[in-house]
Amino acid sequence: MKTMTLTLAGLTALALSTTAFANTEIDTDGDGVMSMEELQTAYPTLSEDLFAAMDANGDGTIDADEFKAAQDAAVLPVTDG
């Protein structure tokens, strides 16, 4: 496993606080989670390694808690929406 600046353990700890999913414009298919492709539309420089680090539960998508954790950890900028 590659060493990352942001650890999965850190993301998991930050994800414990539940938040409303505010970035519905990123979730273009409306399924309640964000895929790599959806996130790359909003964040073109997002790498597969960073996406994997954000995906704390390993399901291949980013849910509201994982997204908020990434923002709280300053991995992704906070957006309006």
Side-chain angles (χ1 to χ4, degrees):
M1 187 177 274
K2 294 182 180 180
T3 303
M4 312 229 22
T5 303
L6 182 63
T7 66
L8 290 177
L11 278 173
T12 302
L14 288 170
L16 292 175
S17 62
T18 304
T19 60
F21 191 57
N23 289 298
T24 56
E25 69 275 1
I26 296 173
D27 177 22
T28 57
D29 63 7
D31 65 356
V33 294
M34 292 174 282
S35 67
M36 174 78 173
E37 293 77 21
E38 288 171 324
L39 275 171
Q40 280 185 320
T41 298
Y43 302 97
T45 61
L46 181 72
S47 69
E48 288 184 26
D49 287 340
L50 181 55
F51 183 88
M54 291 170 50
D55 185 14
N57 65 7
D59 69 354
T61 62
I62 305 302
D63 64 26
D65 291 337
E66 291 165 333
F67 188 80
K68 177 76 167 101
Q71 288 184 321
D72 289 348
V75 172
L76 292 176
V78 176
T79 59
D80 294 332

